[in-house]
Each structure stands twice: as C-alpha cells, then as structure tokens.
Amino acid sequence: MARGGDRDGRSRQERPAGRGQLGPYRSKRDFTRTPEPAGAAPPGPDGGTRRFVVQRHRARRAHYDLRFEIDGVLVSWAVPNGPTLDPAVKRLAVHVEDHPIEYLDFEGVIPRGEYGAGDVIVWDIGTWEPHGTDDPAAAVAAGDFHADVQGRKLRGRLVLVRRGGNRGDSDQWLLLHKDDDDAVSGWNPDDYPESVLSGRTNEEVRADPDRVWRSDLPPSQASVTLRPPRIAPPTSAELAALDGLGAGGRWEVFGRELRLTNLDKALFPGRDGEPPVTKRELISYTAQIAPVILPYLAGRPLNMHRFPGGASQPGFWHKQMPDHAPQWVPRWRNPEAKPGETTTYLVVDDPAALVWAANFGALEWHAWTAHASDPASPTYALIDIDPGDGTSWDDVLVLARLHRTALEHVGVRAAAKVTGRRGIHIWIPVAAGLTFHDTRVWAEQLSKTIGAVVPELVSWEWDKRERGGRARLDYTQNVHHKTLVAPYSPRAAPGAPVSAPIAWDELDDPSLRPDGFTIRTMLDRVARRGDEFAAALGEGQRLPPLR
C-alpha cells in the first residue's frame, strides 16, 4: 500500500486534492523502469462525465486503490480491505498521492524494486457525481467527501471522512456505503476478484500481462500492447479456396486479398521418403500459424530470409520493403538509416502480411529482439546453443539441461525451442530499461558459468574452424539488429522443418530431435499442446546478479 505523506511537506488541507499535484507521484517512481504512466500536465477543471476506478493492487500487501477523477488527476485512497456495498461496514482508507489521469485503466505489472511493485487489475470502473457540493476538490480538502458512483460492481453513495475531522495532518480516512437502495448487507469485494476489463485475476495478469505503459512516450501513446488481439485462423472454406486455386490466383484471407503465384512449385525437398513440400503447403501453414506467431512478430522489424528458387538453392537476406508491396502491408521507416542502409522494414502487425512475405519467397522469418518503437531496448536476452562439427545431439541436450537448471536456480523464466537445424535457442523476457550491453553481459556470465562445468563440450572461439568441433554458447546474439529465427518459422531445409517451441521437460524425451517438427506436423502439435513458447510473452524480468 502506498504511503500517504507528501514529500513536499505540505498537508492535504494546504494542498487541495486534484489541483494537478503529480510531483509526489513522480518523485517515488523511476519511469525508465516502471510501466506506469508518468502523466501529462492535467487539463483544467472537470467538464462532462466524471470517472472513477478501483484497482486491486498486490504490492507488499494486497489492497484496493479507489480513485476519483477531480480537476484532471485521479485523487486516490488505498483501501486495505476494499470498498463494500455493506452499509454496516466501515473501512480504513489512506489518502495517497494523486495519480495521472492515464492511470485510469492501467492493468499490468510494476517491476520489482520500483515503488508499489506488484500486479494491478482494474477491479471496477465507472462514473460518479459529487453529492452536496459543486467543488469536490474542496470537499476532499475539508475532509468530508460524498460521491454517487455507478460502476460495474459498486453502486450508490460512497462517503469518505477524514479521521480527526477538519484537521489536515491525517491521511487516515473512513470509507463507508450509505444505507440506500444499492446497499447490500454482507457484500464482500474479495468475492469478486476478476478485472472488469479483462475478466482475469491478479495472478493471471501477473503471469501474462497484455500491455505495459511506456512512460518515455506521450501519455496518448504510452499504452503499448504486448500482443495483438487474438485472431481467428482461416476458416475451412478459406483453406478450401486456397486448395482450389490453380498455379496461382487471388486468395482472400484475414480480410485481405492476396495475389499468390507458383503454388505448385516444390520449395522444400522431401525427406524420409515423403514428397517435396510445395509453396501451396507453405502458404497454408503460414496462414494457419499466423495467429499463434503474431505476438512474437508484432511491432518488430522483420528480416526476411528469402529463397525464391526454393530451399535447395542459395538464399539471401532481404530487409528493405519492396516498392511493389501492397499499401496495406505494415512497415516501419527507420529514421536513423544512413545512405545504403535499409530504410523501410516489414512489420508483421497484420497476419495477412506474413502470408504476403511467404508468397514473396521468405521461407524463414527473423524478427528483431527490440520493438520498432524503441530499437535500442531489447525485450529478450538470447542464448544460442550453436553446435560444432563434432557436437552430438546428446551434447546439445546436456548444455540445454544445464541452462534449464541454472535458470531455475536464479529464478528466471525462459522459453526454449529447437532451431529446426541442429541447435537450441533460449529466449528470456527482460524488463524495460535494459540495454543490449546489459543482456549480452548477463548472457555471457551465465553461459561461461555453464561452460566451465563441461569445458570439453564448449569453445569460445568465434571462428567455427577454430573450435575443435565443439559447441559455442553464443551470447553475442544480444546485439542491436542481430536476430534469431522466430518461433514457428520454417527453416530452409529438406522436409520444411520448423523452429519449434518445446516444453522444458521435453529435453528429457529421447524422441526429441532438433529438426523433428515440420510444417506438416506443427499445426497438430499446437492444437494438442498450445503455444509452448508463451513464457516468452510474460512479464519482463530484471536479470539477477550471477555469482
């Protein structure tokens, strides 16, 4: 629960609530690390509908934050046991610092080490009207505030009275509900733990937050979605239409019309006695996996590894968005591009854009570690277990299991995937505010600690020819503009293997192979097991010191 006292030394009575006083709020927070909004300069006196919100906040202790929109800010009380509709119950409410209006619908996680660290849900939200006054800020300053609320859970008249009456030296108030038509005897807020916005509990939001606040951006842009809304896969009719096209034609999917070409061309040689994989199969897989992979691509520049002649022919990197790309295809223009550098990148914010890229010959998809909105700030720390010529698959598994044990020991959440070639990748979601130098140094410390356990398996030489056939634990992937292949991306190899996410316990499955999942088997696996890489979408973590 937030502390009530102000750092400027003035009492609540001397500093009327809601007069744009966000200094105490800002002074307690480091906005380079917390996803909370910093707040813009508040507008003038209220006009139109007044809003209120109750946020359930699990910090050092779980409590409810009751906030009323007054004079352009959220005047706030922390209520340990929560507001109630029961008129017989009086609650302690601690008057805390005003919050910016952008906090009204904040639901997410405040990082460890920051003021108020914990998870927050919007427990209730609605509108309110002052009762008995046309100057609610003055009523708060006087220590006697009455509000008629109309929320999704709370209704009727709430009364807040400062303990000690008119004295301004106390931040302790009493909160009660009048015995009116909306009163409910025995009503307990803990019986209704879900967010009114997402339907999720604090525990669920903490495990998988949907968004963060970027305090370095203007408040109107500060809400950054961590994943796009869930998108339905192509319908059976749409897939049948794709199957019914000849060698090419126009296909409508995800609300877009795409011109497809060379659909019967063999792009991947067959393996294990199976026929080659055609472009039609690649397009079908891409469209069906797009809703699953989109959270790992959205908002990030994409480097396309193109193989127009198919996987049996040499490929090349294609980063520049071609001029002939349809106007609807999302893109990012790099404002810092120098002459000769890529100026415009594909950004897969639209599932149809990934289908377009596949038709363009992009057999592999490599998204940036950072978002286009902040290219210098990685969202993942990456570990690449890169086998040498003499590294067996069993050796790779030993190294991966050691990483699993080490990450569990330091309490860091990570997601693993086989590469579709010979190795394993590990992605660690990191908190905002870290640099590529930070993630590279941390990954180097972790990898060298593990390498010291099995020095016979690991070489730190950059040149593969100088490694003596041993594996490299490649922490140098944590660099601006470097990429690893995205989860669920095909690889340009016989059979169309996929860089497939795996559960950690699958490292102990003797049937696991680095290229064992293909575009012909991956969709059934996802249908059975879900997204095994979802841990990479959860709350970003501060990387703990390694000793």
Side-chain angles (χ1 to χ4, degrees), residues 54-56 107 120-123 193-195 200-202 205:
V54 180
Q55 287 155 316
R56 189 171 187 270
E107 183 166 292
V120 179
I121 64 167
V122 176
W123 182 82
E194 294 85 8
S195 162
R200 299 194 296 169
T201 64
N202 282 78
V205 167

Side-chain angles (χ1 to χ4, degrees), residues 17-18 46-54 66-77 101 104 124-140 144-152 154-160:
D46 292 327
T49 303
R50 295 177 171 92
R51 295 168 293 176
F52 83 97
V53 65
V54 180
L66 173 61
R67 312 187 193 280
F68 292 92
E69 181 181 11
I70 300 176
D71 290 352
V73 296
L74 295 174
V75 180
S76 302
W77 287 262
I101 206 69
L104 188 82
D124 196 18
I125 197 167
T127 60
W128 71 279
E129 289 294 332
H131 177 78
T133 181
D134 57 3
D135 189 349
V140 173
D144 190 8
F145 174 61
H146 297 233
D148 292 326
V149 301
Q150 186 62 45
R152 302 187 195 179
L154 298 178
R155 303 171 302 280
R157 185 165 302 160
L158 297 180
V159 176
L160 282 153

